[in-house]
Amino acid sequence: MTNETDVAATDVPDEQVVDAVNEPDAANESEPGGPELSIVTPLDVPGQPRLDLDRALEAILFIADEPQSVVSLAAAVARPVAEVRAAIARLRADYDGAGASGEPRTDVAGEPEPRSIRRGFELREVGGGWRFYVRAEYDTLVADFVLTQSSTRLSQAALETLSVIAYKQPISRSQVASIRAVNVDSVVRTLLGRGLVTEVDTDPETGAILYGTTELLLTNLGINSLDELPHISPLLDDGQEGFDFD
């Protein structure tokens, strides 16, 4: 037994059925005033302005202290890895002055691409992740500027962090934080800015940056090598302070 709907469906020509399948469902289209939805703009969030994929990745990388893998970036913006790779390629070309970044869109009229210029920084892949770096030709200029802007005295926190790096190098930021039991991100940035520590390697398992001291530290301490640092064992207590014993 058939109903009216079944009969109506059998009367529709095959060409119209194909066209109906290929056309977007009107019920799935955004209502006026609602969030913009598009397969090329899935960063849209109801009630929030549309976010461009390239700009979103740029914002994350701007504040990242460690290289970010493509997988972690894809998870952060909820986009496929392939799209994130393409966005990174656009950003690199933009910063190199070879193209303009910005996620391709199909929901707006085409606009002329903005003119791109070569930036003083670059997006570089290091240790399996992506991070912003100053271009090599500006390294000396930036280092001199940072050193002249820095005060001559280090805080107690910076001295303690510098000591840990000096004795335990090469060491990652998280390992330093574990030893000091505090967050050391800003302190390590200060030491990097002063030229007292530098990135020497990356951990092959985690991809974390490993830090070590520089020749400038030896100069400031008046020693020729790290072997001349005083032995730390005599400076430590017996480990019993703060414990009660019978």
Side-chain angles (χ1 to χ4, degrees):
M1 179 176 181
T2 58
N3 55 31
E4 294 180 358
T5 303
D6 295 330
V7 173
T10 58
D11 293 337
V12 178
D14 293 341
E15 294 80 359
Q16 295 184 20
V17 173
V18 174
D19 292 340
V21 171
N22 291 332
E23 290 179 357
D25 188 354
N28 293 331
E29 293 181 356
S30 301
E31 297 180 359
E36 175 188 304
L37 299 178
S38 170
I39 60 172
V40 297
T41 58
L43 283 177
D44 291 332
V45 177
Q48 299 294 328
R50 174 190 175 277
L51 298 179
D52 180 85
L53 174 61
D54 295 15
R55 300 286 78 82
L57 294 175
E58 189 175 51
I60 293 173
L61 291 166
F62 181 78
I63 56 89
D65 292 322
E66 301 285 348
Q68 301 298 306
S69 69
V70 175
V71 173
S72 65
L73 291 172
V77 297
R79 297 290 288 268
V81 170
E83 292 188 18
V84 173
R85 290 187 188 279
I88 289 176
R90 290 193 298 268
L91 288 173
R92 294 188 67 194
D94 186 1
Y95 303 148
D96 292 342
S101 62
E103 184 178 16
R105 296 185 60 182
T106 60
D107 56 341
V108 294
E111 298 180 357
E113 290 189 355
R115 186 176 180 181
S116 179
I117 59 174
R118 191 168 186 268
R119 315 295 176 82
F121 58 90
E122 62 181 335
L123 189 55
R124 190 186 307 168
E125 187 175 19
V126 177
W130 294 92
R131 186 185 180 195
F132 285 125
Y133 286 87
V134 173
R135 292 194 183 275
E137 58 263 39
Y138 298 106
D139 277 346
T140 302
L141 174 66
V142 172
D144 290 344
F145 172 78
V146 171
L147 290 175
T148 57
Q149 296 297 310
S150 302
S151 59
T152 57
R153 295 180 61 85
L154 290 174
S155 66
Q156 184 64 31
L159 288 173
E160 292 175 2
T161 300
L162 181 58
S163 299
V164 172
I165 295 175
Y167 280 97
K168 302 287 289 184
Q169 61 184 303
I171 186 172
S172 68
R173 193 176 308 197
S174 62
Q175 290 172 326
V176 176
S178 177
I179 292 173
R180 292 201 56 226
V182 295
N183 186 291
V184 298
D185 289 352
S186 62
V187 177
V188 171
R189 284 196 294 268
T190 297
L191 296 175
L192 284 168
R194 298 289 185 90
L196 296 173
V197 302
T198 187
E199 300 173 3
V200 296
D201 203 354
T202 56
D203 189 300
E205 295 183 359
T206 65
I209 295 176
L210 301 179
Y211 297 92
T213 54
T214 65
E215 293 293 328
L216 179 59
L217 175 64
L218 301 180
T219 300
N220 289 342
L221 294 178
I223 59 179
N224 293 317
S225 72
L226 295 173
D227 295 333
E228 298 181 36
L229 287 173
H231 293 291
I232 197 170
S233 298
L235 304 178
L236 302 175
D237 56 39
D238 58 7
Q240 297 181 356
E241 182 178 357
F243 291 86
D244 295 327
F245 294 90
D246 295 333

